[in-house]
Amino acid sequence: MLLPESPTAPDEAVNVIGFSLLEANNGLQQFQPSWFNVWEASLFKKAQRKSGYTQWLFNRFGFDQDPGVHAGDRLRNADYRDCLRAMTMACKQAMDSVDRKNALLIRRERTALIYFDSWGETSLFEGVTSWRDSLSLDMLPRSIARDYAVKDFSCKLRGEHNGFLMGLRVAIDRLNSGGIDTVLLCGQFRSFPVLVLSQAALATSQQRDRTPTDQRRSHISVERAGCVILRKAPQQGIALHLADYVLLADKPDTAVDQLASRWQATLTDNCAGILGGTHTSKKLQSIEKQALSRLVSPPPFLSLSTDFGDSGCLNPMLALQHLRVSHRPEDYLDRQILVNAMDGQGAAWLMECWPHEVKP
């Protein structure tokens, strides 16, 4: 099969002119089931059985370092305010990375705010007592909307593992419609142990795990907050194009063929690699690996969530961070990078990145 010869991003692509992604820095904490929380202990055993992982490690914002508090309670009741502050700081850093000309345009022109997360309304899990904080978590981050004088468009999206990509889809539509000049796309991922474990417990294994127990890897869940500033600015930053959301077949072999065909049809002869933005599911990782082997000339592949830790809806955004901090950013300039993301519900997204200027 011949590869398409298009050397540039599609016309409907939008450009990342500002970006920041922050993660918790409290270190990895091991989840340990306890007898007084039977529900979590049951989910932990089920998640082990379904996923093949023997332990879960969490890096959370707001983790209490007081050794006098039980480790399980500290992990479960991490303070949400640190996450809100991280998202505010991510937006500030993203805005600071914008050149002066675009920064002035953003202040004068029509700006939209799109906010996303993984779990929807989380005030109940966070134990929020302030209605202002509850609005920032469950509806819109009020400090960001205020600081950047967002008046033209704003919305909150709940997309589970699709949060970032659904937000990007809305941003692309708004920018290409001509109704908006700039989009602030920001979001956060909170790794509540009970929700992360329940998601793993609902997963289906493609085959029985025969890896020796002492050789199985740990599942690493990392909380992150990020912001992407998007404009229609050709030849600036990183151009992004998002393909349609496609439902894959239930049968694994057919799903592999579908995914491989989709990649092959999108690949250009100028492709620098494929990045996996899927969460660390054995079944989905197996589908990705088999699809890669069926390509005519497979490019290099990197699983972002495996190498950098699972962050749910923010996993595809790790591709932008990877391009930004690459040891050899010049290898990606004006070349195509594909980001594959499967949501665990039998469907897949495909995002194209075309870096025009990648800062180390």
Side-chain angles (χ1 to χ4, degrees), residues 218-343:
S218 301
H219 181 281
I220 299 176
S221 183
V222 181
E223 292 192 345
R224 292 183 170 99
C227 177
V228 180
I229 301 177
L230 302 164
R231 284 179 66 86
K232 293 288 288 185
Q235 302 302 313
Q236 292 186 31
I238 302 176
L240 298 182
H241 174 255
L242 189 62
D244 293 334
Y245 184 67
V246 174
L247 185 66
L248 300 178
D250 293 333
K251 189 176 179 181
D253 287 343
T254 306
V256 169
D257 288 337
Q258 285 181 300
L259 192 60
S261 297
R262 198 172 188 224
W263 288 356
Q264 193 72 72
T266 310
L267 284 171
T268 70
D269 54 4
N270 199 26
C271 183
I274 299 177
L275 304 178
T278 303
H279 64 95
T280 52
S281 160
K282 283 189 59 186
K283 177 181 179 181
L284 299 184
Q285 289 179 335
S286 176
I287 291 175
E288 281 184 329
K289 184 177 180 180
Q290 293 180 62
L292 188 69
S293 67
R294 298 186 187 184
L295 297 181
V296 175
S297 299
F301 179 84
L302 174 67
S303 175
L304 297 168
S305 56
T306 300
D307 283 30
F308 305 116
D310 181 30
S311 291
C313 60
L314 290 179
N315 284 339
M317 195 187 286
L318 290 172
L320 302 179
Q321 182 76 346
H322 174 69
L323 296 176
R324 185 182 186 185
V325 302
S326 171
H327 295 299
R328 294 179 55 84
E330 64 275 8
D331 291 343
Y332 295 115
L333 289 178
D334 296 316
R335 299 186 66 188
Q336 180 197 48
I337 295 94
L338 294 185
V339 181
N340 182 67
M342 291 182 283
D343 61 3

